[in-house]
């Protein structure tokens, strides 16, 4: 994605990490550990990879912005 953006536009000025998924819900014991891993891969590792590969391209371009965006779901406490 980063290579595509820089080859098309010659530089990278911004990265927005906005993807996120959630478990199906219910009690934690009702959720499969593989589903938990999938959520962590998208929500945490996806952001990490966006920064890891985006930051060097932004620096090479002379600067820019990285936005890590969460939904209101990140503020909901269901306990």
């Amino acid at each position: 994605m980063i290579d595509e953006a820089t080859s098309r536009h010659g530089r990278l000025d911004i990265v927005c990490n906005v993807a996120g998924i959630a478990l199906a819900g219910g009690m934690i014991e009702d959720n499969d550990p593989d589903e938990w891993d999938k959520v962590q891969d998208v929500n945490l590792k996806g952001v990490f990879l966006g920064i890891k590969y985006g930051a060097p391209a932004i620096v090479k371009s002379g600067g820019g912005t990285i936005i890590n965006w969460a939904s209101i779901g990140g503020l909901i406490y269901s306990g």
Side-chain angles (χ1 to χ4, degrees):
M1 177 178 61
I2 301 299
D3 290 343
E4 181 70 20
T6 56
S7 69
R8 281 188 187 199
H9 305 288
R11 58 182 291 130
L12 185 69
D13 297 309
I14 188 167
V15 170
C16 294
N17 293 307
V18 295
I21 60 173
L23 290 170
M27 300 299 290
I28 193 75
E29 63 265 19
D30 297 331
N31 288 285
D32 185 308
D34 290 336
E35 287 299 311
W36 173 257
D37 290 340
K38 181 179 175 182
V39 169
Q40 300 312 306
D41 281 348
V42 171
N43 296 357
L44 299 177
K45 192 173 183 181
V47 171
F48 165 76
L49 292 172
I51 296 168
K52 176 180 174 54
Y53 294 108
I58 288 173
V59 169
K60 186 176 177 182
S61 296
T65 301
I66 297 176
I67 300 170
N68 299 317
W69 192 327
S71 72
I72 191 70
L75 301 175
I76 297 172
Y77 174 72
S78 61

